[in-house]
Amino acid sequence: AIKLHRQVVLHDYSSASSNRVGDRAVEPYAFMNHHNEVRCYELSSAQNKTFKLSRIGKVEVLDLLWDNEEKHARVYTDLFRFSGENRHRVVLRLGRLSYNLLKEEYPNALRELSQEDENHWLLTTDVCSFQGIGRFVLGLLEDIEVVESDEFKSFISEKLKDLTKKVAFVS
């Protein structure tokens, strides 16, 4: 479908973001993440989206050519495997624990790390979503300082408020 510039229907797509299963009419234009995902222009929402192949029930190739090629946008995948058309700069100061875990879980991070002193490293990276990096930071909060990105600091602050409400002790 990509080579032939055909529209397709992704039948029984299980979406994590909308928490529903349904059919999606799309124009697929690029494989991503070692062919585990496909980037598409979704006709109903008029948006570019990434679909995980493992969540697709079946693909029906239509006898319709792409109608929106000029709207197919370049997509980026960040260090934490989130994709999007826009990127946001984030700088973190990592302690030894978070530094070691980052290297082990995300080996590509090495090129975005610089040593600050004997026990601290700076991660300077662009992310497409705060979800992935947020999960990492929240899991190691005592070992990480957010140096840059007021927007990311607000994201973390809101997540902490939500978590506090969820685990609040009621006597």
Side-chain angles (χ1 to χ4, degrees), residues 76 78-80 85-92 111-114 122-130 133 137 145-156:
Y76 304 96
D78 66 28
L79 182 63
F80 298 90
E85 296 169 28
N86 301 310
R87 296 178 288 181
H88 309 278
R89 172 67 43 122
V90 175
V91 179
L92 304 177
R111 64 177 171 245
E112 300 180 41
L113 285 164
S114 61
L122 290 177
L123 171 67
T124 303
T125 191
D126 293 325
V127 296
C128 300
S129 167
F130 291 143
I133 194 169
V137 169
E145 176 189 345
V146 180
V147 177
E148 260 183 53
S149 179
D150 289 341
E151 191 179 3
F152 183 57
K153 288 178 182 179
S154 293
F155 174 86
I156 293 294

PDB file of all heavy atoms in Angstrom, residues 76 78-80 85-92 111-114 122-130 133 137 145-156:
ATOM      1  N   TYR A  76       9.335  12.104  14.059  1.00  0.00           N
ATOM      2  CA  TYR A  76      10.547  11.814  14.810  1.00  0.00           C
ATOM      3  C   TYR A  76      10.222  10.795  15.888  1.00  0.00           C
ATOM      4  O   TYR A  76       9.114  10.775  16.405  1.00  0.00           O
ATOM      5  CB  TYR A  76      11.075  13.093  15.471  1.00  0.00           C
ATOM      6  CG  TYR A  76      11.333  14.206  14.498  1.00  0.00           C
ATOM      7  CD1 TYR A  76      10.373  15.191  14.267  1.00  0.00           C
ATOM      8  CD2 TYR A  76      12.527  14.268  13.787  1.00  0.00           C
ATOM      9  CE1 TYR A  76      10.597  16.208  13.355  1.00  0.00           C
ATOM     10  CE2 TYR A  76      12.752  15.290  12.874  1.00  0.00           C
ATOM     11  CZ  TYR A  76      11.791  16.250  12.671  1.00  0.00           C
ATOM     12  OH  TYR A  76      12.016  17.256  11.766  1.00  0.00           O
ATOM     13  N   ASP A  78      11.711   9.693  19.590  1.00  0.00           N
ATOM     14  CA  ASP A  78      12.672  10.143  20.596  1.00  0.00           C
ATOM     15  C   ASP A  78      13.348   8.958  21.279  1.00  0.00           C
ATOM     16  O   ASP A  78      13.057   7.793  21.001  1.00  0.00           O
ATOM     17  CB  ASP A  78      12.017  11.107  21.593  1.00  0.00           C
ATOM     18  CG  ASP A  78      10.948  10.485  22.473  1.00  0.00           C
ATOM     19  OD1 ASP A  78      10.988   9.272  22.749  1.00  0.00           O
ATOM     20  OD2 ASP A  78      10.059  11.241  22.913  1.00  0.00           O
ATOM     21  N   LEU A  79      14.251   9.277  22.163  1.00  0.00           N
ATOM     22  CA  LEU A  79      15.031   8.302  22.903  1.00  0.00           C
ATOM     23  C   LEU A  79      14.157   7.305  23.655  1.00  0.00           C
ATOM     24  O   LEU A  79      14.508   6.144  23.805  1.00  0.00           O
ATOM     25  CB  LEU A  79      15.916   9.081  23.900  1.00  0.00           C
ATOM     26  CG  LEU A  79      16.877   8.338  24.771  1.00  0.00           C
ATOM     27  CD1 LEU A  79      17.921   7.628  23.912  1.00  0.00           C
ATOM     28  CD2 LEU A  79      17.575   9.317  25.701  1.00  0.00           C
ATOM     29  N   PHE A  80      12.979   7.755  24.097  1.00  0.00           N
ATOM     30  CA  PHE A  80      12.087   6.931  24.906  1.00  0.00           C
ATOM     31  C   PHE A  80      11.018   6.238  24.057  1.00  0.00           C
ATOM     32  O   PHE A  80      10.012   5.779  24.559  1.00  0.00           O
ATOM     33  CB  PHE A  80      11.475   7.776  26.022  1.00  0.00           C
ATOM     34  CG  PHE A  80      12.526   8.313  26.953  1.00  0.00           C
ATOM     35  CD1 PHE A  80      13.124   9.539  26.719  1.00  0.00           C
ATOM     36  CD2 PHE A  80      12.957   7.571  28.040  1.00  0.00           C
ATOM     37  CE1 PHE A  80      14.120  10.027  27.553  1.00  0.00           C
ATOM     38  CE2 PHE A  80      13.952   8.042  28.884  1.00  0.00           C
ATOM     39  CZ  PHE A  80      14.546   9.271  28.634  1.00  0.00           C
ATOM     40  N   GLU A  85       5.496  14.761  15.488  1.00  0.00           N
ATOM     41  CA  GLU A  85       5.971  15.715  14.490  1.00  0.00           C
ATOM     42  C   GLU A  85       6.753  16.858  15.125  1.00  0.00           C
ATOM     43  O   GLU A  85       7.533  17.521  14.459  1.00  0.00           O
ATOM     44  CB  GLU A  85       4.789  16.270  13.704  1.00  0.00           C
ATOM     45  CG  GLU A  85       4.077  15.210  12.902  1.00  0.00           C
ATOM     46  CD  GLU A  85       2.754  15.693  12.319  1.00  0.00           C
ATOM     47  OE1 GLU A  85       2.618  16.912  12.076  1.00  0.00           O
ATOM     48  OE2 GLU A  85       1.878  14.848  12.123  1.00  0.00           O
ATOM     49  N   ASN A  86       6.540  17.096  16.415  1.00  0.00           N
ATOM     50  CA  ASN A  86       7.207  18.184  17.118  1.00  0.00           C
ATOM     51  C   ASN A  86       8.113  17.627  18.193  1.00  0.00           C
ATOM     52  O   ASN A  86       7.874  16.545  18.733  1.00  0.00           O
ATOM     53  CB  ASN A  86       6.177  19.124  17.752  1.00  0.00           C
ATOM     54  CG  ASN A  86       5.251  19.701  16.710  1.00  0.00           C
ATOM     55  OD1 ASN A  86       5.688  20.218  15.699  1.00  0.00           O
ATOM     56  ND2 ASN A  86       3.955  19.591  16.942  1.00  0.00           N
ATOM     57  N   ARG A  87       9.156  18.400  18.517  1.00  0.00           N
ATOM     58  CA  ARG A  87      10.087  17.977  19.561  1.00  0.00           C
ATOM     59  C   ARG A  87      10.272  19.093  20.574  1.00  0.00           C
ATOM     60  O   ARG A  87      10.138  20.265  20.250  1.00  0.00           O
ATOM     61  CB  ARG A  87      11.432  17.603  18.943  1.00  0.00           C
ATOM     62  CG  ARG A  87      11.325  16.396  18.007  1.00  0.00           C
ATOM     63  CD  ARG A  87      12.618  16.054  17.370  1.00  0.00           C
ATOM     64  NE  ARG A  87      12.951  17.066  16.360  1.00  0.00           N
ATOM     65  CZ  ARG A  87      14.026  17.030  15.599  1.00  0.00           C
ATOM     66  NH1 ARG A  87      14.884  16.049  15.726  1.00  0.00           N
ATOM     67  NH2 ARG A  87      14.259  17.962  14.707  1.00  0.00           N
ATOM     68  N   HIS A  88      10.554  18.676  21.816  1.00  0.00           N
ATOM     69  CA  HIS A  88      10.757  19.610  22.921  1.00  0.00           C
ATOM     70  C   HIS A  88      12.097  19.288  23.589  1.00  0.00           C
ATOM     71  O   HIS A  88      12.354  18.129  23.926  1.00  0.00           O
ATOM     72  CB  HIS A  88       9.635  19.477  23.956  1.00  0.00           C
ATOM     73  CG  HIS A  88       8.274  19.548  23.360  1.00  0.00           C
ATOM     74  ND1 HIS A  88       7.656  20.738  23.066  1.00  0.00           N
ATOM     75  CD2 HIS A  88       7.421  18.567  22.969  1.00  0.00           C
ATOM     76  CE1 HIS A  88       6.465  20.485  22.536  1.00  0.00           C
ATOM     77  NE2 HIS A  88       6.307  19.178  22.466  1.00  0.00           N
ATOM     78  N   ARG A  89      12.909  20.287  23.812  1.00  0.00           N
ATOM     79  CA  ARG A  89      14.221  20.105  24.459  1.00  0.00           C
ATOM     80  C   ARG A  89      14.028  19.916  25.959  1.00  0.00           C
ATOM     81  O   ARG A  89      13.305  20.670  26.598  1.00  0.00           O
ATOM     82  CB  ARG A  89      15.082  21.333  24.181  1.00  0.00           C
ATOM     83  CG  ARG A  89      16.412  21.442  24.900  1.00  0.00           C
ATOM     84  CD  ARG A  89      17.472  20.422  24.523  1.00  0.00           C
ATOM     85  NE  ARG A  89      17.574  20.169  23.128  1.00  0.00           N
ATOM     86  CZ  ARG A  89      18.658  20.321  22.386  1.00  0.00           C
ATOM     87  NH1 ARG A  89      19.763  20.753  22.928  1.00  0.00           N
ATOM     88  NH2 ARG A  89      18.654  20.014  21.109  1.00  0.00           N
ATOM     89  N   VAL A  90      14.692  18.903  26.526  1.00  0.00           N
ATOM     90  CA  VAL A  90      14.679  18.635  27.958  1.00  0.00           C
ATOM     91  C   VAL A  90      16.115  18.375  28.389  1.00  0.00           C
ATOM     92  O   VAL A  90      16.869  17.680  27.700  1.00  0.00           O
ATOM     93  CB  VAL A  90      13.797  17.408  28.310  1.00  0.00           C
ATOM     94  CG1 VAL A  90      13.889  17.064  29.781  1.00  0.00           C
ATOM     95  CG2 VAL A  90      12.344  17.660  27.915  1.00  0.00           C
ATOM     96  N   VAL A  91      16.500  18.939  29.526  1.00  0.00           N
ATOM     97  CA  VAL A  91      17.819  18.684  30.103  1.00  0.00           C
ATOM     98  C   VAL A  91      17.616  18.165  31.524  1.00  0.00           C
ATOM     99  O   VAL A  91      16.918  18.795  32.323  1.00  0.00           O
ATOM    100  CB  VAL A  91      18.696  19.961  30.122  1.00  0.00           C
ATOM    101  CG1 VAL A  91      20.058  19.660  30.753  1.00  0.00           C
ATOM    102  CG2 VAL A  91      18.872  20.522  28.715  1.00  0.00           C
ATOM    103  N   LEU A  92      18.223  17.014  31.803  1.00  0.00           N
ATOM    104  CA  LEU A  92      18.136  16.391  33.124  1.00  0.00           C
ATOM    105  C   LEU A  92      19.526  16.240  33.724  1.00  0.00           C
ATOM    106  O   LEU A  92      20.480  15.945  33.004  1.00  0.00           O
ATOM    107  CB  LEU A  92      17.514  14.993  33.026  1.00  0.00           C
ATOM    108  CG  LEU A  92      16.146  14.840  32.378  1.00  0.00           C
ATOM    109  CD1 LEU A  92      15.759  13.363  32.328  1.00  0.00           C
ATOM    110  CD2 LEU A  92      15.106  15.664  33.103  1.00  0.00           C
ATOM    111  N   ARG A 111      24.972   9.076  23.310  1.00  0.00           N
ATOM    112  CA  ARG A 111      25.386  10.230  22.492  1.00  0.00           C
ATOM    113  C   ARG A 111      24.774  11.545  22.977  1.00  0.00           C
ATOM    114  O   ARG A 111      25.148  12.605  22.512  1.00  0.00           O
ATOM    115  CB  ARG A 111      25.077   9.971  21.022  1.00  0.00           C
ATOM    116  CG  ARG A 111      23.611   9.832  20.715  1.00  0.00           C
ATOM    117  CD  ARG A 111      23.368   9.642  19.218  1.00  0.00           C
ATOM    118  NE  ARG A 111      21.990   9.303  19.009  1.00  0.00           N
ATOM    119  CZ  ARG A 111      21.561   8.147  18.526  1.00  0.00           C
ATOM    120  NH1 ARG A 111      22.420   7.225  18.178  1.00  0.00           N
ATOM    121  NH2 ARG A 111      20.276   7.923  18.372  1.00  0.00           N
ATOM    122  N   GLU A 112      23.818  11.469  23.908  1.00  0.00           N
ATOM    123  CA  GLU A 112      23.159  12.670  24.415  1.00  0.00           C
ATOM    124  C   GLU A 112      23.519  12.956  25.871  1.00  0.00           C
ATOM    125  O   GLU A 112      22.903  13.797  26.511  1.00  0.00           O
ATOM    126  CB  GLU A 112      21.646  12.537  24.242  1.00  0.00           C
ATOM    127  CG  GLU A 112      21.267  12.363  22.767  1.00  0.00           C
ATOM    128  CD  GLU A 112      19.779  12.229  22.541  1.00  0.00           C
ATOM    129  OE1 GLU A 112      19.014  12.953  23.194  1.00  0.00           O
ATOM    130  OE2 GLU A 112      19.390  11.399  21.703  1.00  0.00           O
ATOM    131  N   LEU A 113      24.525  12.249  26.385  1.00  0.00           N
ATOM    132  CA  LEU A 113      24.965  12.395  27.771  1.00  0.00           C
ATOM    133  C   LEU A 113      26.328  13.072  27.841  1.00  0.00           C
ATOM    134  O   LEU A 113      27.187  12.838  26.996  1.00  0.00           O
ATOM    135  CB  LEU A 113      25.079  11.019  28.436  1.00  0.00           C
ATOM    136  CG  LEU A 113      23.774  10.344  28.824  1.00  0.00           C
ATOM    137  CD1 LEU A 113      24.007   8.859  29.099  1.00  0.00           C
ATOM    138  CD2 LEU A 113      23.171  11.020  30.039  1.00  0.00           C
ATOM    139  N   SER A 114      26.501  13.897  28.853  1.00  0.00           N
ATOM    140  CA  SER A 114      27.821  14.479  29.126  1.00  0.00           C
ATOM    141  C   SER A 114      28.039  14.433  30.633  1.00  0.00           C
ATOM    142  O   SER A 114      27.100  14.628  31.414  1.00  0.00           O
ATOM    143  CB  SER A 114      27.913  15.910  28.605  1.00  0.00           C
ATOM    144  OG  SER A 114      26.950  16.731  29.232  1.00  0.00           O
ATOM    145  N   LEU A 122      24.669  15.010  32.558  1.00  0.00           N
ATOM    146  CA  LEU A 122      23.578  15.776  31.959  1.00  0.00           C
ATOM    147  C   LEU A 122      23.066  15.031  30.728  1.00  0.00           C
ATOM    148  O   LEU A 122      23.852  14.641  29.863  1.00  0.00           O
ATOM    149  CB  LEU A 122      24.046  17.168  31.543  1.00  0.00           C
ATOM    150  CG  LEU A 122      24.360  18.143  32.669  1.00  0.00           C
ATOM    151  CD1 LEU A 122      24.875  19.453  32.102  1.00  0.00           C
ATOM    152  CD2 LEU A 122      23.124  18.383  33.543  1.00  0.00           C
ATOM    153  N   LEU A 123      21.761  14.851  30.688  1.00  0.00           N
ATOM    154  CA  LEU A 123      21.103  14.327  29.502  1.00  0.00           C
ATOM    155  C   LEU A 123      20.442  15.517  28.823  1.00  0.00           C
ATOM    156  O   LEU A 123      19.587  16.182  29.412  1.00  0.00           O
ATOM    157  CB  LEU A 123      20.035  13.288  29.866  1.00  0.00           C
ATOM    158  CG  LEU A 123      19.148  12.836  28.695  1.00  0.00           C
ATOM    159  CD1 LEU A 123      19.961  12.045  27.671  1.00  0.00           C
ATOM    160  CD2 LEU A 123      17.969  12.022  29.202  1.00  0.00           C
ATOM    161  N   THR A 124      20.855  15.793  27.604  1.00  0.00           N
ATOM    162  CA  THR A 124      20.253  16.861  26.803  1.00  0.00           C
ATOM    163  C   THR A 124      19.634  16.189  25.591  1.00  0.00           C
ATOM    164  O   THR A 124      20.348  15.641  24.744  1.00  0.00           O
ATOM    165  CB  THR A 124      21.324  17.890  26.368  1.00  0.00           C
ATOM    166  OG1 THR A 124      21.957  18.402  27.542  1.00  0.00           O
ATOM    167  CG2 THR A 124      20.694  19.023  25.588  1.00  0.00           C
ATOM    168  N   THR A 125      18.317  16.208  25.528  1.00  0.00           N
ATOM    169  CA  THR A 125      17.634  15.459  24.479  1.00  0.00           C
ATOM    170  C   THR A 125      16.378  16.177  24.028  1.00  0.00           C
ATOM    171  O   THR A 125      15.824  17.011  24.750  1.00  0.00           O
ATOM    172  CB  THR A 125      17.303  14.026  24.964  1.00  0.00           C
ATOM    173  OG1 THR A 125      16.867  13.234  23.859  1.00  0.00           O
ATOM    174  CG2 THR A 125      16.241  14.037  26.054  1.00  0.00           C
ATOM    175  N   ASP A 126      15.934  15.852  22.835  1.00  0.00           N
ATOM    176  CA  ASP A 126      14.658  16.339  22.314  1.00  0.00           C
ATOM    177  C   ASP A 126      13.661  15.196  22.395  1.00  0.00           C
ATOM    178  O   ASP A 126      13.973  14.075  21.983  1.00  0.00           O
ATOM    179  CB  ASP A 126      14.791  16.801  20.860  1.00  0.00           C
ATOM    180  CG  ASP A 126      15.651  18.037  20.720  1.00  0.00           C
ATOM    181  OD1 ASP A 126      15.608  18.888  21.623  1.00  0.00           O
ATOM    182  OD2 ASP A 126      16.371  18.155  19.717  1.00  0.00           O
ATOM    183  N   VAL A 127      12.482  15.468  22.938  1.00  0.00           N
ATOM    184  CA  VAL A 127      11.454  14.436  23.060  1.00  0.00           C
ATOM    185  C   VAL A 127      10.204  14.849  22.287  1.00  0.00           C
ATOM    186  O   VAL A 127       9.915  16.024  22.134  1.00  0.00           O
ATOM    187  CB  VAL A 127      11.100  14.139  24.532  1.00  0.00           C
ATOM    188  CG1 VAL A 127      12.303  13.557  25.258  1.00  0.00           C
ATOM    189  CG2 VAL A 127      10.583  15.359  25.244  1.00  0.00           C
ATOM    190  N   CYS A 128       9.484  13.855  21.824  1.00  0.00           N
ATOM    191  CA  CYS A 128       8.234  14.085  21.096  1.00  0.00           C
ATOM    192  C   CYS A 128       7.048  14.120  22.042  1.00  0.00           C
ATOM    193  O   CYS A 128       6.009  14.684  21.725  1.00  0.00           O
ATOM    194  CB  CYS A 128       8.027  12.988  20.056  1.00  0.00           C
ATOM    195  SG  CYS A 128       9.353  12.905  18.850  1.00  0.00           S
ATOM    196  N   SER A 129       7.208  13.479  23.168  1.00  0.00           N
ATOM    197  CA  SER A 129       6.150  13.405  24.170  1.00  0.00           C
ATOM    198  C   SER A 129       6.802  13.401  25.542  1.00  0.00           C
ATOM    199  O   SER A 129       7.892  12.842  25.709  1.00  0.00           O
ATOM    200  CB  SER A 129       5.343  12.121  23.984  1.00  0.00           C
ATOM    201  OG  SER A 129       4.526  11.865  25.096  1.00  0.00           O
ATOM    202  N   PHE A 130       6.140  13.991  26.508  1.00  0.00           N
ATOM    203  CA  PHE A 130       6.652  13.960  27.867  1.00  0.00           C
ATOM    204  C   PHE A 130       6.321  12.642  28.563  1.00  0.00           C
ATOM    205  O   PHE A 130       6.791  12.380  29.664  1.00  0.00           O
ATOM    206  CB  PHE A 130       6.100  15.135  28.681  1.00  0.00           C
ATOM    207  CG  PHE A 130       6.631  16.478  28.238  1.00  0.00           C
ATOM    208  CD1 PHE A 130       5.807  17.588  28.249  1.00  0.00           C
ATOM    209  CD2 PHE A 130       7.943  16.639  27.827  1.00  0.00           C
ATOM    210  CE1 PHE A 130       6.280  18.831  27.866  1.00  0.00           C
ATOM    211  CE2 PHE A 130       8.446  17.874  27.431  1.00  0.00           C
ATOM    212  CZ  PHE A 130       7.607  18.969  27.455  1.00  0.00           C
ATOM    213  N   ILE A 133       9.742  10.118  28.795  1.00  0.00           N
ATOM    214  CA  ILE A 133      10.760  10.674  29.685  1.00  0.00           C
ATOM    215  C   ILE A 133      10.160  10.930  31.071  1.00  0.00           C
ATOM    216  O   ILE A 133      10.842  10.787  32.079  1.00  0.00           O
ATOM    217  CB  ILE A 133      11.410  11.946  29.087  1.00  0.00           C
ATOM    218  CG1 ILE A 133      12.690  12.305  29.865  1.00  0.00           C
ATOM    219  CG2 ILE A 133      10.419  13.098  29.011  1.00  0.00           C
ATOM    220  CD1 ILE A 133      13.539  13.367  29.193  1.00  0.00           C
ATOM    221  N   VAL A 137      11.635   9.738  34.657  1.00  0.00           N
ATOM    222  CA  VAL A 137      11.925  10.696  35.731  1.00  0.00           C
ATOM    223  C   VAL A 137      11.117  10.374  36.987  1.00  0.00           C
ATOM    224  O   VAL A 137      11.658  10.362  38.093  1.00  0.00           O
ATOM    225  CB  VAL A 137      11.659  12.145  35.259  1.00  0.00           C
ATOM    226  CG1 VAL A 137      11.682  13.125  36.424  1.00  0.00           C
ATOM    227  CG2 VAL A 137      12.685  12.549  34.207  1.00  0.00           C
ATOM    228  N   GLU A 145      17.249  15.571  38.527  1.00  0.00           N
ATOM    229  CA  GLU A 145      16.806  16.965  38.613  1.00  0.00           C
ATOM    230  C   GLU A 145      16.483  17.450  37.200  1.00  0.00           C
ATOM    231  O   GLU A 145      17.274  17.255  36.286  1.00  0.00           O
ATOM    232  CB  GLU A 145      17.922  17.830  39.200  1.00  0.00           C
ATOM    233  CG  GLU A 145      17.580  19.300  39.242  1.00  0.00           C
ATOM    234  CD  GLU A 145      18.764  20.174  39.621  1.00  0.00           C
ATOM    235  OE1 GLU A 145      19.773  19.643  40.122  1.00  0.00           O
ATOM    236  OE2 GLU A 145      18.679  21.391  39.389  1.00  0.00           O
ATOM    237  N   VAL A 146      15.320  18.051  37.024  1.00  0.00           N
ATOM    238  CA  VAL A 146      14.964  18.639  35.730  1.00  0.00           C
ATOM    239  C   VAL A 146      15.624  20.010  35.667  1.00  0.00           C
ATOM    240  O   VAL A 146      15.270  20.909  36.426  1.00  0.00           O
ATOM    241  CB  VAL A 146      13.434  18.751  35.551  1.00  0.00           C
ATOM    242  CG1 VAL A 146      13.109  19.376  34.197  1.00  0.00           C
ATOM    243  CG2 VAL A 146      12.766  17.391  35.696  1.00  0.00           C
ATOM    244  N   VAL A 147      16.585  20.167  34.770  1.00  0.00           N
ATOM    245  CA  VAL A 147      17.340  21.405  34.637  1.00  0.00           C
ATOM    246  C   VAL A 147      16.641  22.361  33.685  1.00  0.00           C
ATOM    247  O   VAL A 147      16.541  23.552  33.966  1.00  0.00           O
ATOM    248  CB  VAL A 147      18.779  21.116  34.134  1.00  0.00           C
ATOM    249  CG1 VAL A 147      19.559  22.402  33.912  1.00  0.00           C
ATOM    250  CG2 VAL A 147      19.507  20.199  35.112  1.00  0.00           C
ATOM    251  N   GLU A 148      16.179  21.818  32.567  1.00  0.00           N
ATOM    252  CA  GLU A 148      15.554  22.661  31.546  1.00  0.00           C
ATOM    253  C   GLU A 148      14.238  22.104  31.068  1.00  0.00           C
ATOM    254  O   GLU A 148      14.073  20.892  30.999  1.00  0.00           O
ATOM    255  CB  GLU A 148      16.481  22.786  30.322  1.00  0.00           C
ATOM    256  CG  GLU A 148      17.276  24.046  30.264  1.00  0.00           C
ATOM    257  CD  GLU A 148      18.093  24.128  28.992  1.00  0.00           C
ATOM    258  OE1 GLU A 148      17.527  23.983  27.897  1.00  0.00           O
ATOM    259  OE2 GLU A 148      19.306  24.331  29.125  1.00  0.00           O
ATOM    260  N   SER A 149      13.380  23.029  30.752  1.00  0.00           N
ATOM    261  CA  SER A 149      12.061  22.882  30.170  1.00  0.00           C
ATOM    262  C   SER A 149      10.999  23.129  31.238  1.00  0.00           C
ATOM    263  O   SER A 149      10.629  22.232  32.003  1.00  0.00           O
ATOM    264  CB  SER A 149      11.810  21.523  29.515  1.00  0.00           C
ATOM    265  OG  SER A 149      10.483  21.510  29.005  1.00  0.00           O
ATOM    266  N   ASP A 150      10.554  24.361  31.272  1.00  0.00           N
ATOM    267  CA  ASP A 150       9.480  24.720  32.202  1.00  0.00           C
ATOM    268  C   ASP A 150       8.217  23.918  31.890  1.00  0.00           C
ATOM    269  O   ASP A 150       7.471  23.542  32.788  1.00  0.00           O
ATOM    270  CB  ASP A 150       9.188  26.223  32.130  1.00  0.00           C
ATOM    271  CG  ASP A 150      10.306  27.050  32.748  1.00  0.00           C
ATOM    272  OD1 ASP A 150      11.102  26.497  33.538  1.00  0.00           O
ATOM    273  OD2 ASP A 150      10.395  28.249  32.439  1.00  0.00           O
ATOM    274  N   GLU A 151       8.004  23.650  30.614  1.00  0.00           N
ATOM    275  CA  GLU A 151       6.834  22.869  30.208  1.00  0.00           C
ATOM    276  C   GLU A 151       6.917  21.445  30.786  1.00  0.00           C
ATOM    277  O   GLU A 151       5.932  20.904  31.282  1.00  0.00           O
ATOM    278  CB  GLU A 151       6.757  22.824  28.675  1.00  0.00           C
ATOM    279  CG  GLU A 151       5.480  22.276  28.144  1.00  0.00           C
ATOM    280  CD  GLU A 151       5.420  22.272  26.617  1.00  0.00           C
ATOM    281  OE1 GLU A 151       6.414  22.651  25.961  1.00  0.00           O
ATOM    282  OE2 GLU A 151       4.371  21.880  26.089  1.00  0.00           O
ATOM    283  N   PHE A 152       8.112  20.857  30.751  1.00  0.00           N
ATOM    284  CA  PHE A 152       8.280  19.513  31.314  1.00  0.00           C
ATOM    285  C   PHE A 152       8.154  19.550  32.839  1.00  0.00           C
ATOM    286  O   PHE A 152       7.565  18.651  33.442  1.00  0.00           O
ATOM    287  CB  PHE A 152       9.626  18.908  30.893  1.00  0.00           C
ATOM    288  CG  PHE A 152       9.824  17.500  31.384  1.00  0.00           C
ATOM    289  CD1 PHE A 152       8.913  16.494  31.076  1.00  0.00           C
ATOM    290  CD2 PHE A 152      10.926  17.174  32.150  1.00  0.00           C
ATOM    291  CE1 PHE A 152       9.085  15.195  31.536  1.00  0.00           C
ATOM    292  CE2 PHE A 152      11.116  15.879  32.614  1.00  0.00           C
ATOM    293  CZ  PHE A 152      10.196  14.886  32.299  1.00  0.00           C
ATOM    294  N   LYS A 153       8.682  20.593  33.475  1.00  0.00           N
ATOM    295  CA  LYS A 153       8.528  20.730  34.927  1.00  0.00           C
ATOM    296  C   LYS A 153       7.051  20.796  35.308  1.00  0.00           C
ATOM    297  O   LYS A 153       6.623  20.169  36.284  1.00  0.00           O
ATOM    298  CB  LYS A 153       9.256  21.978  35.428  1.00  0.00           C
ATOM    299  CG  LYS A 153      10.760  21.850  35.417  1.00  0.00           C
ATOM    300  CD  LYS A 153      11.420  23.149  35.870  1.00  0.00           C
ATOM    301  CE  LYS A 153      12.931  23.054  35.811  1.00  0.00           C
ATOM    302  NZ  LYS A 153      13.576  24.304  36.229  1.00  0.00           N
ATOM    303  N   SER A 154       6.259  21.512  34.533  1.00  0.00           N
ATOM    304  CA  SER A 154       4.811  21.590  34.790  1.00  0.00           C
ATOM    305  C   SER A 154       4.162  20.226  34.607  1.00  0.00           C
ATOM    306  O   SER A 154       3.283  19.835  35.387  1.00  0.00           O
ATOM    307  CB  SER A 154       4.159  22.599  33.845  1.00  0.00           C
ATOM    308  OG  SER A 154       4.597  23.886  34.138  1.00  0.00           O
ATOM    309  N   PHE A 155       4.578  19.496  33.581  1.00  0.00           N
ATOM    310  CA  PHE A 155       4.062  18.154  33.326  1.00  0.00           C
ATOM    311  C   PHE A 155       4.318  17.252  34.538  1.00  0.00           C
ATOM    312  O   PHE A 155       3.412  16.570  35.033  1.00  0.00           O
ATOM    313  CB  PHE A 155       4.714  17.575  32.067  1.00  0.00           C
ATOM    314  CG  PHE A 155       4.365  16.148  31.782  1.00  0.00           C
ATOM    315  CD1 PHE A 155       3.213  15.818  31.074  1.00  0.00           C
ATOM    316  CD2 PHE A 155       5.188  15.118  32.220  1.00  0.00           C
ATOM    317  CE1 PHE A 155       2.896  14.493  30.808  1.00  0.00           C
ATOM    318  CE2 PHE A 155       4.875  13.793  31.966  1.00  0.00           C
ATOM    319  CZ  PHE A 155       3.724  13.482  31.259  1.00  0.00           C
ATOM    320  N   ILE A 156       5.565  17.259  35.037  1.00  0.00           N
ATOM    321  CA  ILE A 156       5.926  16.428  36.181  1.00  0.00           C
ATOM    322  C   ILE A 156       5.147  16.864  37.414  1.00  0.00           C
ATOM    323  O   ILE A 156       4.631  16.034  38.177  1.00  0.00           O
ATOM    324  CB  ILE A 156       7.451  16.476  36.443  1.00  0.00           C
ATOM    325  CG1 ILE A 156       8.216  15.800  35.304  1.00  0.00           C
ATOM    326  CG2 ILE A 156       7.810  15.854  37.786  1.00  0.00           C
ATOM    327  CD1 ILE A 156       7.970  14.305  35.180  1.00  0.00           C
TER     328      ILE A 156
END
